[in-house]
Amino acid sequence: MNDSTHWLLGRLDASALPFWDALQHPTTKNVINAVIASGAASMVVLGAIAVVIGLTWTRRWGWLWREWLTSPDHKKIGIMFIALALVMLARAVIEAVLMRLQQALGLDGGFLTAEHFGQLFTTHGTIMVFFMAMPFLTGIINYVMPLQIGTRDLSFPVMNQISLGLTAAGAALVMISLVLAPFSTGGWTGYPSFTGRAANPGAGVDYWIWAVTLSTLSSTLSGINFAVTIYKRRAPGMRWMRLPLFTWTALCTAILMIFAMPPLTVATALLALDRYLDFHLFTADLGGNMMNYINLFWAFGHPEVYILILPAFGIFSEVFSTFAGKTLYGYKALVIATLAIAVLSFTVWLHHFFTMGQSAHINAVFGIATMLIGIPTGVKIYDWMLTLFRGRIRMSVPMIYASGFLMLFVLGGLTGIVLAVPSVDYQVHNSLFLVAHFHNMLIPGLLFGMLAGTNFWFPKAFGFRLEERWGRRAAYAWIIGFMLAFFPLYALGVLGMPRRTVAFFTPAYLPWTLTALVGATIVLLAMACLVIQLWVSVRDRHLNAMPIGDPWDGRSLEWAVSSPPPEYNFPVIPEVYGRDAFMLEKERGKAYQVPDEFPDIVLPANSPMGVIFAVTGTAMAFGLTWYQWWMVLLAAGVTLVAVIARGFCRNTPAPCRVKRCVVPT
Amino acid sequence: MFNTPGCGLSRWAPSRLIIGLLLPLIAGCSDAHLSFLDPQGPIAAAQRQHFWWVIAITLTVVLPVLVLTPLILWRYRYGSRARYRPQWEFSLRADLAIWGIPLVVVAVLATLTWRSTIALDPYRPLASDQPPLEVEVVGFDWKWLFLYPEQGIATVDELVIPAGRPVSLRLTSASVMQGFFVPALGSQIDVMNHMVTRLHLEADAPGVFPGRNMQYSGTGFYRQRFVTRALSADAFADFTHQVRAQGRAFTPEVFSQLMAKNTHAALARALDGSDSVASTSHAGQTDDAGNPADDSTPLRFKHFPSGLFGAIVAHRAPDWGQDTASLSTTRPLSSHSPLPANSSLSIHPALAAAAPTGVTP
Ligand code: HEM
Ligand SMILES: [Cu+2]
Ligand SMILES: [Cu+2]
């Protein structure tokens, strides 16, 4: 790039195009990889164009702006979070299948270059954690929690918009990196000094840093929002020990977000200081030490896995109790166990680097601390089984996911204990055994939880059920596909196959990688079933309509309102008399009563803040990645002006519309 | 050097396939020694034992879930005649069991963990009536350099040790973080730039055991493998004499090629000139640059600059004036520290903290 455009484009030039390398060095392998990468890039571009054309054609821009993008309604923001998560899930699963295909063909070679494979596991891991799992669970909490505690919105609706905007910006950045490559190859953990400027000077690591930074900022804000809402906005009579279990897990997750996300924001920020301003915090010379990064990362990383799993635990609690037609067994024990897990999750992070050379006593202490978490987790599992015991179990789709979770999750727990014993971890650390273990927690745990939750609450959000037959097919395909895709990885790990390896030279691995490919293919079928399920459900929505709003004989307050709920959730804020609030009302014949009078309802006004943060966040991160400083300054300036302008928007007529102005809360 | 026979799968007869599938998990591979389930040294053997014990103990809480969940789901399915108690939510006996049993299991596991972790501490020297062989290990992009300060020789991607005698390793990285690992012998340990970690291993009997880097370190990572050859004491002595007599010279050119980002094959090509290597390469195996590659070209050096390991750790240039070539081959074995006493080594913080196992840098 010549000097005249350098101020404009920074270090961005034609070599960022995904086929550039293949043009320079047209080997067979490079061409294959360029075709794959360009295919993915054109899907992003064509997808974006199709959306724009579609919206213009159907004249939906105004509708999109008014009803969705600027809406402060927690339900709409929740749905947008989930939509984002599903799109990112699709991309990350396709990448996963590509990796499985590569490793199935990977004896002595395969078709992917090492560089391409490095980007695949990095984007897959980063997307799955930060742009699939986090938005999914944030979306579900957003949607369900205020309904469960009987309130009209989160405490900070505009901050909620900003959370969504920041996550969307991070996701956009990861998508843009498909078109203007490359992304980082440093894995989802991004350890320096591999991610330092000396080892990796290119734009890839910077994409990763800013995408993750945006996501962690978003999650910190979400955590604050959820926690404050649960503390401050419960309906009258909703005492702590009457909270639905999902709300309890939402609270614990929120607290974990508040304390666990900042360490990662700090870690990536410090890494950025190293890369941009030569701070030598994590380099090997001038006093830096990369072990500090690893420590900070896992101070985030371990609580993070509980951020991911706790909301799923909450969903499963609701599902088990609803579909067994029983009150939860051991509610108090479940609450105590959830709190114990949340606290203990901050005490075990060192188990991610037993091999880094610290003393055996420290390793042993952290190994034992890790096992302690097994106790409350075990209690939860048995409480759920006792909830099913003497119930009347309906095997609907959410219940299929939940049953699969119950049996598969304990296997992941078993291998987790194996990894927690340092002397054994010295053998399986960084091997595919570890990869199998965390997928065994994340797929049956987190992902099944989210899918169960989607099937469970979808009729609440849209007024019709998801189609049952395709839902079952998807659920069974997920369960079988997961087992075939990941159980072989335990064997491979025990046989010494490392994670993140593009190819291998040991024929004994081949049968296992082939089996895993079959599993990944079935997972792909499961994804297809999910798409078909959604399609069929929308097509036959009149058949499955559930306007009254209680499709499963539900127990908590969200089922008390119509489906979809009105913008204000509750015409009158309900009064709560016990646990399983709505079930109690139904049992006492008090459900669906028309209140005597309707007090005025005040709702927050629409605000463009979320969209502004999404746009400026993306622009700033993109500018930082490619050294386009004018873009960074411009985006920072716009953000600043927007925030200050927002400060002048009071509970006064102008500039908000009178009727629906902001309630400062 | 990597064309050791595969795990009984070299021919694809169906029965072989089944054996090939089952055998590795149960016993590990008998000929390739891929796994600690086929242990070839005391550490790996103990790790195998712990592995199965941990699984067995944990299964006491896991098995009931696997067995009872389907039973409950079936017995209490909608429409069955089983008892339905929608309000039942607490039983003291059940609660005592579900808190108590995991507690006991974790207590047992904790005891086992405490003992095994301290017993198998990679920093702990192995008990033996023979002094350990000292080896210094440097992880480069993407190959391993092994320095034998007492023998005065060096090898690349080939760790040669006497069987039945402990090996005491000091490890560092000349590049990013890497993970040094010989599964059949024992623990993996991270190696880090500007820092030294330690590891003690021992092979029971002569044999060849694959080893590798476990920590992703870039495009050549997947090729960063090495072999460990355990030889009888005599054969080991012969080997060192042979290398001292016939090995390559460790020149500044060798060092700069080691520091370059390349794989074993590319390094061998650079040192030998490409023609001599191409003729010995496996058919069809190519590296990323599309060149014929060979990971099996031996790279053995009859000397190296004294204190090379310390220099790499301290980011100093090697002292080409001092050389192990001047070592007397008949010098008695000693376990002296190869590092100059006044070297400005940055000490691994974990090492600085007094390690109760008695290891100091
Ligand atoms: C849907 C089926 C999935 C398949 C087939 C799959 C497959 C894979 C594969 C092949 C890898 C690379 C393994 C290696 O290092 O060699 C991987 C890594 C990873 N996956 Fe998945 N995955 C799936 C779902 C998920 C989900 C749901 C999550 C998280 C919520 C997840 C999180 C990760 C992470 C964090 C990594 C590590 C990336 C790294 O090494 O930095 N995956 N997965
Ligand atoms: Cu952890
Ligand atoms: Cu260190």
Side-chain angles (χ1 to χ4, degrees), chain A residues 302 305 348 351-352:
Chain A
H302 192 86
V305 304
V348 301
H351 63 208
H352 295 275

Side-chain angles (χ1 to χ4, degrees), chain A residues 211-263:
Chain A
V212 168
T213 306
L214 286 165
S215 160
T216 52
L217 287 173
S218 156
S219 298
T220 311
L221 297 183
S222 289
I224 294 171
N225 219 338
F226 295 152
V228 173
T229 306
I230 298 174
Y231 285 129
K232 292 290 183 191
R233 295 185 65 118
R234 281 165 289 138
M238 181 63 89
R239 298 195 210 125
W240 287 114
M241 279 298 147
R242 290 175 180 174
L243 280 186
L245 216 89
F246 176 72
T247 297
W248 265 115
T249 58
L251 176 62
C252 289
T253 294
I255 294 171
L256 291 184
M257 283 176 174
I258 297 171
F259 287 103
M261 287 294 164

Side-chain angles (χ1 to χ4, degrees), chain A residues 186-379:
Chain A
W188 86 282
T189 47
Y191 281 6
S193 45
F194 184 73
T195 51
R197 203 175 57 195
N200 265 301
V205 178
D206 298 312
Y207 265 132
W208 178 83
I209 287 179
W210 301 119
V212 168
T213 306
L214 286 165
S215 160
T216 52
L217 287 173
S218 156
S219 298
T220 311
L221 297 183
S222 289
I224 294 171
N225 219 338
F226 295 152
V228 173
T229 306
I230 298 174
Y231 285 129
K232 292 290 183 191
R233 295 185 65 118
R234 281 165 289 138
M238 181 63 89
R239 298 195 210 125
W240 287 114
M241 279 298 147
R242 290 175 180 174
L243 280 186
L245 216 89
F246 176 72
T247 297
W248 265 115
T249 58
L251 176 62
C252 289
T253 294
I255 294 171
L256 291 184
M257 283 176 174
I258 297 171
F259 287 103
M261 287 294 164
L264 183 57
T265 316
V266 168
T268 50
L270 296 181
L271 186 59
L273 288 178
D274 261 17
R275 290 179 61 84
Y276 285 79
L277 299 172
D278 259 335
F279 265 52
H280 292 274
L281 294 160
F282 303 133
T283 56
D285 51 357
L286 299 176
N289 193 321
M290 36 68 75
M291 296 199 296
N292 290 331
Y293 175 93
I294 296 178
N295 214 18
L296 268 179
F297 182 89
W298 290 111
F300 144 82
H302 192 86
E304 165 72 5
V305 304
Y306 288 94
I307 292 174
L308 298 178
I309 206 66
L310 285 180
F313 282 178
I315 293 170
F316 288 130
S317 300
E318 306 286 326
V319 166
F320 282 128
S321 134
T322 305
F323 289 90
K326 252 185 88 197
T327 188
L328 266 177
Y329 175 91
Y331 172 88
K332 280 193 193 128
L334 281 166
V335 170
I336 293 169
T338 308
L339 291 167
I341 291 174
V343 172
L344 287 175
S345 74
F346 282 99
T347 65
V348 301
W349 77 97
L350 188 136
H351 63 208
H352 295 275
F353 45 90
F354 280 145
T355 55
M356 219 161 67
Q358 54 278 4
S359 93
H361 291 81
I362 293 181
N363 277 354
V365 165
F366 277 86
I368 292 168
T370 305
M371 293 171 183
L372 286 180
I373 299 192
I375 299 174
T377 313
V379 167

Side-chain angles (χ1 to χ4, degrees), chain A residues 8-32:
Chain A
L8 181 68
L9 292 177
R11 56 173 167 167
L12 178 61
D13 61 26
S15 67
L17 294 170
F19 46 82
W20 188 257
D21 217 30
L23 290 183
Q24 307 299 308
H25 316 278
T27 61
T28 321
K29 213 171 193 178
N30 278 351
V31 170
I32 295 174

Side-chain angles (χ1 to χ4, degrees), chain A residues 93 96 99-100 103 121 124-125 128-129 132-133 187-188 432 435 438-439 442-443 446-447 478 486 499-501 520 523:
Chain A
V93 166
M99 283 191 284
R100 287 267 59 95
Q103 286 193 336
F121 66 68
H124 166 81
M128 281 293 195
V129 172
M132 190 287 283
W188 86 282
L432 285 180
V435 173
F438 67 67
H439 283 89
L442 289 171
I443 294 178
L446 166 108
L447 192 64
W478 266 114
F486 288 98
R499 69 190 292 197
R500 299 175 176 170
T501 186
V523 165

